[in-house]
Amino acid sequence: MVTAKKDTRRWALHVDLEGDVRRVPLEPGETTLGSREDNTVVLAHRSVSKRHAVLRSLPGGFEVEDLGSKNGTRLDGQRVQKAGLSEGSVLSLGPVLLKLERVDEDDLELGIDLGSTHPGHLPALLDLPTRTLGDTGGVQGDRRLALLSRIVRALACYEEGGVSSSLEALREEIGAVTVALLEGRREEDPAVVALRGDPAALNRLAELREVFYGVETSALAPGTVRSFDVPSDPALVGAVGGGAGSGPVLLVAGGVSEPNSDLHLLLQVVLQLLTWTASVGHAVSAPRAELAARNLVFAPGYVPCRSEAMKALYGQLRSLATGDLPVLITGETGVGKEHVARILHASSLVRCSGPFQAVNCAAVPAELLEAELFGVEKGAATGVLARPGQFQLAHRGVLLLDEIGEMPILLQTKLLRVLQSLEVTPVGGRRSVKVDVRIIGATNAEPEQLLREGRLRQDLYYRIAGWTIRVPALRERRDDLPLLLESFVRRFSVETGRKVRGVSLLALRRIVSAPWPGNVRQLEHEVRRLVHLCPDDGVIDASFLPLLGDGGTSTVEPLDDGGDLRLQPRVDDVERKAIRAALARTGGHRSNAAELLGISRDGLRMKMERLGIEG
């Protein structure tokens, strides 16, 4: 006996109000349409009457009745007083288009709920003293207001390294030795999120847990901030945010002779701003409190993950953070190999205050790579000035040699000599220069393959691969996808200045099941596109995912060797299918379809004319 498959689809209205597109689920009974706020579906436009029309559910569809509106109600272009609707029917209420759809119910449920707070709005500074920083008056008051203005710009505009630059600005302002942003938790030592200055001031992180709970953090209401002083060597001054047994801590060590209320207030305000950046995945957020990888320092913008594969990777990084053992990082394109190198640099107690330099060996022409690495002596050629190389620039820090397998073999011989002697000789020079550099190599090819093909010298491999770290592909750690997705949506919501309420359950399932050959970088770029397409106060649903398909399967058809292999007809056919799919997903809205396709509206119009597409 064959059991009929249950239909899990629900009725919904695809609403297009002059490009502001949203989807509204329909419930049994009556649904009122109009511009007044007490309607079921509010259509805020001057051409829509206060009580314009009503939809009534019927078996197999709906009926619409005009309620005496000024501009009337049209069904598929024809003005109606009362008429039946079926799937695909389009209503026009003035310039507003409403298409009746049957939608998978999972596409109407939120798989990720981002809440109602607009990420582009700065938080209210809760529970702070009523006096302001400007009350300090004079030069100091002006400086501190300027400091806050600088921090707000860095965070709200998503500057690269916004959190770190904010901490550095604060450190300079108050003359502290160290400023750190931590995440505290009752069961664990505080985790370092970002740090500027001398990390040695935080050698006793376990004792800071007592400080954290000494101000009764777990009893604080969420959003409140308290400050504290700890007589110690060096002296510690900080601010802590509640509650529920965990929260962010802004800690200042050394250089502060007599803490006062002005300093306490400054730290409270800065901590509020840094905590707000959780909405874009920059700094402190709830998932960070659950990280097994505590005591690693993560670069601003990096999203720490919680899959077993990444926990194992973080465990290796903790072991490698101390010392100067050369490390070779392997993994597919887009997995975040440079991020891993930056974590090693930032987590080192010795080298974190030194520079981090990165050179892509595949991006620099072979004839210029030697000068890029080792520098150039003045007079090496006519008119050439002296220029330091990456080794000299990375002195007392870390040098990342990305795509090291693309380095010419002859240059690999010179690199091996540098690594053995820790001296570089600039191009055209005779004197060598001592360098103190930790080397991290990276490649998206398997080292064994590079060795077999003769693209990597065996002796160089043994020199740089003191430890090999493989960064897992995104498809190997699908548990991390919801966390990455949420963080990227929040970040790009700030970038675009629009609020995204969440991601539908169906869209989340499709994203999690997609293959992501470009890994985290591909996911990041795709989420940026989705946020740009999502209307303000809207939800990213499955209709926004034309590039992923169901389960990420390709929509490209294989070539038929027996057919017409001329290129232009095939290109036209692909363009025709893509344009029709984009128009279908956007309800015929050309501007939105053009954005989905990554072309201009005029470009879409010309292609439609050339390909004979109506719509």
Side-chain angles (χ1 to χ4, degrees):
M1 179 177 177
V2 179
T3 304
K5 185 178 179 180
K6 182 181 178 181
D7 188 354
T8 60
R9 296 180 302 164
R10 289 176 54 188
W11 290 102
L13 276 180
H14 180 95
V15 181
D16 184 345
L17 201 167
E18 295 185 329
D20 184 6
V21 180
R22 56 192 167 115
R23 179 180 282 162
V24 180
L26 294 176
E27 303 295 339
E30 291 192 347
T31 299
T32 57
L33 312 172
S35 59
R36 206 164 65 187
E37 291 186 358
D38 60 350
N39 286 284
T40 312
V41 180
V42 180
L43 305 172
H45 195 280
R46 62 181 180 275
S47 298
V48 178
S49 299
K50 294 179 180 178
R51 297 275 288 181
H52 198 109
V54 61
L55 297 181
R56 298 186 182 93
S57 59
L58 300 173
F62 284 78
E63 71 173 8
V64 62
E65 181 178 357
D66 186 82
L67 299 178
S69 64
K70 180 179 179 180
N71 294 317
T73 300
R74 295 179 179 273
L75 172 60
D76 296 330
Q78 300 297 318
R79 187 160 182 165
V80 296
Q81 176 58 38
K82 190 174 185 179
L85 305 177
S86 58
E87 184 176 358
S89 296
V90 177
L91 292 173
S92 304
L93 280 62
V96 183
L97 300 178
L98 303 100
K99 183 178 180 180
L100 187 63
E101 298 179 324
R102 294 276 281 171
V103 181
D104 192 306
E105 62 182 2
D106 283 348
D107 213 15
L108 300 174
E109 299 287 338
L110 285 182
I112 296 179
D113 188 349
L114 300 179
S116 58
T117 302
H118 196 302
H121 293 168
L122 291 176
L125 298 180
L126 304 175
D127 200 33
L128 294 180
T130 54
R131 60 191 296 274
T132 67
L133 289 167
D135 291 342
T136 304
V139 176
Q140 178 173 303
D142 291 343
R143 277 205 326 265
R144 294 195 170 175
L145 288 175
L147 168 69
L148 291 182
S149 175
R150 175 179 169 184
I151 291 175
V152 168
R153 285 198 306 272
L155 299 177
C157 299
Y158 189 57
E159 285 185 7
E160 182 69 26
V163 172
S164 291
S165 65
S166 299
L167 295 183
E168 181 61 27
L170 175 62
R171 189 174 75 91
E172 292 174 355
E173 165 64 20
I174 62 180
V177 174
T178 304
V179 176
L181 182 64
L182 313 174
E183 176 71 26
R185 197 179 187 193
R186 182 179 300 278
E187 298 86 357
E188 301 173 352
D189 298 344
V192 178
V193 176
L195 180 145
R196 300 298 292 181
D198 183 5
L202 302 184
N203 279 342
R204 300 185 299 176
L205 280 176
E207 297 177 24
L208 290 177
R209 184 167 42 176
E210 302 301 323
V211 173
F212 184 67
Y213 287 103
V215 293
E216 300 178 349
T217 309
S218 58
L220 298 181
T224 60
V225 177
R226 291 287 185 271
S227 56
F228 59 85
D229 302 322
V230 180
S232 61
D233 184 21
L236 300 179
V237 185
V240 57
S246 66
V249 182
L250 180 61
L251 190 68
V252 172
V256 181
S257 55
E258 295 185 7
N260 53 39
S261 59
D262 288 334
L263 178 59
H264 287 172
L265 178 58
L266 176 65
L267 296 183
Q268 291 177 55
V269 174
V270 172
L271 181 60
Q272 283 278 20
L273 293 173
L274 293 173
T275 304
W276 164 73
T277 61
S279 64
V280 292
H282 270 181
V284 186
S285 60
R288 287 181 182 267
E290 300 173 12
L291 286 177
R294 65 182 186 274
N295 298 340
L296 289 177
V297 180
F298 298 103
Y302 179 79
V303 183
C305 296
R306 293 170 288 177
S307 64
E308 291 303 317
M310 292 305 289
K311 286 180 182 178
L313 184 144
Y314 294 146
Q316 294 182 68
L317 294 183
R318 283 200 300 274
S319 301
L320 294 167
T322 58
D324 281 341
L325 186 68
V327 175
L328 179 62
I329 304 173
T330 68
E332 297 177 5
T333 298
V335 292
K337 296 186 289 295
E338 183 170 337
H339 277 299
V340 171
R342 289 184 180 275
I343 292 171
L344 277 175
H345 169 251
S347 301
S348 169
L349 294 179
V350 177
R351 296 194 178 273
C352 68
S353 56
F356 178 92
Q357 296 294 125
V359 56
N360 189 324
C361 300
V364 181
E367 62 273 15
L368 301 179
L369 186 55
E370 182 177 357
E372 178 71 17
L373 291 175
F374 308 140
V376 179
E377 189 75 16
K378 181 179 179 181
T382 304
V384 171
L385 300 177
R387 178 168 59 86
Q390 293 292 335
F391 270 88
Q392 293 159 281
L393 294 174
H395 184 59
R396 294 182 179 173
V398 170
L399 174 60
L400 170 64
L401 299 175
D402 198 8
E403 300 306 334
I404 193 168
E406 301 300 321
M407 183 182 295
I409 289 294
L410 180 59
L411 189 54
Q412 290 185 27
T413 305
K414 296 182 179 180
L415 174 61
L416 180 62
R417 188 181 309 119
V418 170
L419 297 181
Q420 290 171 337
S421 65
L422 297 180
E423 295 181 344
V424 296
T425 303
V427 174
R430 296 182 178 180
R431 294 183 180 180
S432 59
V433 179
K434 281 281 187 183
V435 289
D436 174 15
V437 176
R438 183 180 191 179
I439 296 296
I440 299 179
T443 176
N444 59 18
E446 291 297 330
E448 294 78 8
Q449 178 185 354
L450 294 174
L451 292 170
R452 283 196 309 270
E453 296 175 355
R455 295 161 56 193
L456 181 63
R457 287 178 58 104
Q458 192 172 55
D459 47 4
L460 178 61
Y461 169 70
Y462 291 135
R463 172 67 65 172
I464 63 173
W467 190 282
T468 300
I469 294 178
R470 179 182 176 273
V471 185
L474 194 53
R475 62 182 175 276
E476 299 172 20
R477 50 187 184 100
R478 295 187 186 276
D479 291 350
D480 292 331
L481 272 158
L483 176 62
L484 291 166
L485 177 60
E486 179 179 347
S487 178
F488 291 155
V489 170
R490 291 186 184 278
R491 180 199 302 179
F492 297 132
S493 293
V494 172
E495 180 183 281
T496 60
R498 69 185 67 184
K499 177 181 137 187
V500 177
R501 290 192 291 113
V503 180
S504 78
L505 184 58
L506 181 59
L508 177 60
R509 285 176 179 169
R510 291 188 178 182
I511 288 172
V512 169
S513 63
W516 299 112
N519 292 292
V520 180
R521 184 184 296 127
Q522 181 191 4
L523 174 67
E524 186 175 8
H525 290 170
E526 179 67 13
V527 173
R528 184 194 297 267
R529 185 189 70 85
L530 294 175
V531 172
H532 274 269
L533 291 178
C534 185
D536 195 42
D537 202 29
V539 171
I540 295 174
D541 58 42
S543 67
F544 290 98
L545 306 176
L547 300 183
L548 300 180
D550 292 321
T553 56
S554 173
T555 57
V556 179
E557 297 178 1
L559 286 175
D560 179 3
D561 292 338
D564 186 354
L565 293 180
R566 287 180 302 158
L567 184 60
Q568 193 57 52
R570 288 186 174 274
V571 172
D572 290 347
D573 187 50
V574 170
E575 286 190 340
R576 191 177 290 109
K577 289 178 180 178
I579 290 172
R580 285 173 175 163
L583 290 170
R585 291 180 184 276
T586 59
H589 193 283
R590 290 194 179 187
S591 295
N592 289 347
E595 195 165 4
L596 274 177
L597 294 164
I599 60 178
S600 68
R601 194 177 190 280
D602 286 340
L604 174 60
R605 176 182 55 79
M606 288 187 288
K607 285 181 180 293
M608 290 176 65
E609 291 176 355
R610 179 173 61 84
L611 298 171
I613 300 173
E614 298 180 357

